[in-house]
Amino acid sequence: NILDIEDVGSLNEAVRNGRIGQAILVSEALQEKQLSDIADDIVNRGGPVRLVLIAGPSSSGKTTSARRLAIQLMVNGLRPFALSLDDYFVDRELTPLGEDGKYDFEALEAIDLDLFGEQLVALMAGESVHLARYNFNTGKSERGEAVRLPKNTVIIVEGIHGLNPKLVSSLPAGSVYRIYISAMTQLNIDHHNRIPTTDTRLLRRIVRDARHRGYSARETIERWSSVRRGEDRNIFPYQENADVMFNSALVYELSVLKPFAEPLLLRVPVGTMEWIEARRLLAFLQWVQPCEPDLVPDNSLLREFIGGSILRDFRF
């Protein structure tokens, strides 16, 4: 309502008349304000918050949101440390298999819970820890940098299992703050047809997987059903445990994602099962007017997927 963009037609008009730059800046400011409000809530809690858990379905922008929240906490005088659950995947050959016999990367057992728990407790105790780092290209866990956290540090943990009570069952409730994040787009195709939020996340994932993880669009689409089953099993049952919900959808993102996603979708082999889904997404994207990615700020959540994020190597 603020942007006067409620459907694809009005989004296309904003691109054509040059108003898209304003729409991008206002959209980004709205998200930054939400993160600032969440940081204020963490600071103003009665008891000291030592751990912030961020969870949500795939491609919701959890990693960038965690780092931007950390910056907002620093503005409030706290000393945050961002820790990603994605770095605690077990080696690929140890990843559990789903019902289809393929790797189930969304299962809780795909996370090295013992290593994660040990390092989390050690970090909160002020001990020096060599953090885990997961190499998505090789499928192996690697030894990361050595870190010792000062007192009063707020640890930020993001990942699809962040709200699962099995992760931090031994910690006092008052020391934990839980955030549920999802890309709940409110943009419609027209007055009668809505855009499924899962389509936005799938497009984000296709673009990100090709750029950062070496997967083709066909491989990403092939895994998508397993990802969705994992969300139903590991995320949605726990979302009511969250203290706050953060909407990571950006009203303009389809225009930016289109030039990245279309070439990848066109490479899906004709006649395969994945081509059916690729063709559906291509038919949907044909209604969207593309937008130059140069207009997207370098700290935008969308940069997590299209590349060029100033926060990609940001550490605390």
Side-chain angles (χ1 to χ4, degrees):
N1 289 335
I2 293 174
L3 297 168
D4 195 25
I5 298 176
E6 62 178 14
D7 53 34
V8 171
S10 54
L11 173 62
N12 291 342
E13 181 62 26
V15 174
R16 285 192 294 265
N17 64 21
R19 195 167 58 87
I20 191 64
Q22 181 189 72
I24 289 174
L25 290 174
V26 175
S27 297
E28 295 293 338
L30 286 168
Q31 279 202 349
E32 196 65 34
K33 186 177 187 303
Q34 291 180 62
L35 290 168
S36 176
D37 291 343
I38 292 172
D40 290 344
D41 190 36
I42 292 172
V43 171
N44 295 326
R45 288 268 159 159
V49 174
R50 297 296 311 280
L51 177 65
V52 174
L53 297 173
I54 301 176
S58 174
S59 301
S60 294
K62 296 180 292 293
T63 300
T64 298
S65 297
R67 291 170 182 171
R68 288 174 63 178
L69 176 64
I71 293 172
Q72 289 293 338
L73 290 172
M74 293 179 69
V75 172
N76 281 273
L78 297 181
R79 306 189 68 173
F81 180 78
L83 190 65
S84 173
L85 272 180
D86 284 354
D87 283 323
Y88 290 87
F89 279 125
V90 297
D91 290 345
R92 190 160 295 163
E93 64 270 17
L94 301 177
T95 303
L97 302 179
E99 297 177 357
D100 55 3
K102 300 175 182 177
Y103 288 134
D104 184 1
F105 296 103
E106 310 302 323
L108 180 63
E109 293 75 19
I111 301 294
D112 190 338
L113 293 177
D114 291 337
L115 177 61
F116 173 72
E118 291 172 4
Q119 294 202 343
L120 182 61
V121 171
L123 286 170
M124 295 178 70
E127 300 175 8
S128 180
V129 175
H130 278 278
L131 299 177
R133 284 289 178 264
Y134 191 78
N135 188 321
F136 285 96
N137 292 322
T138 65
K140 297 289 185 181
S141 178
E142 301 174 349
R143 194 183 196 194
E145 61 182 333
V147 171
R148 183 192 298 272
L149 300 182
K151 293 181 180 180
N152 301 322
T153 295
V154 177
I155 300 174
I156 301 176
V157 176
E158 59 90 4
I160 63 171
H161 301 292
L163 301 185
N164 191 321
K166 293 181 181 179
L167 283 176
V168 293
S169 58
S170 61
L171 296 181
S175 66
V176 181
Y177 188 92
R178 295 173 172 85
I179 302 172
Y180 176 74
I181 175 173
S182 187
M184 305 295 291
T185 178
Q186 298 181 50
L187 190 69
N188 299 315
I189 298 176
D190 52 36
H191 289 299
H192 305 287
N193 299 281
R194 62 183 297 272
I195 297 174
T197 58
T198 52
D199 281 357
T200 302
R201 293 194 292 112
L202 177 55
L203 289 170
R204 284 180 174 186
R205 183 165 177 136
I206 288 171
V207 172
R208 182 198 63 188
D209 282 0
R211 176 173 290 270
H212 298 303
R213 300 185 177 181
Y215 295 150
S216 67
R218 180 182 182 181
E219 290 174 308
T220 299
I221 293 172
E222 184 182 20
R223 291 186 178 95
W224 190 239
S225 59
S226 174
V227 172
R228 295 295 306 279
R229 287 194 300 271
E231 292 169 354
D232 290 337
R233 182 174 67 250
N234 300 311
I235 300 174
F236 300 133
Y238 307 110
Q239 60 184 323
E240 297 301 324
N241 296 331
D243 295 284
V244 68
M245 187 271 180
F246 174 71
N247 187 356
S248 69
L250 290 159
V251 71
Y252 70 86
E253 66 181 278
L254 287 176
S255 292
V256 175
L257 288 172
K258 178 177 179 175
F260 292 93
E262 274 190 331
L264 299 172
L265 292 168
L266 288 170
R267 295 192 192 113
V268 177
V270 177
T272 63
M273 291 297 296
E274 292 74 31
W275 167 243
I276 298 174
E277 179 69 354
R279 185 172 59 182
R280 184 185 70 82
L281 292 172
L282 285 167
F284 160 57
L285 286 174
Q286 73 175 343
W287 300 104
V288 179
Q289 187 81 15
C291 171
E292 289 295 327
D294 293 346
L295 295 173
V296 180
D298 56 11
N299 69 335
S300 171
L301 181 146
L302 194 57
R303 288 286 179 186
E304 181 177 329
F305 306 97
I306 66 174
S309 175
I310 196 174
L311 300 172
R312 179 172 174 79
D313 297 318
F314 194 67
R315 297 290 184 269
F316 299 91

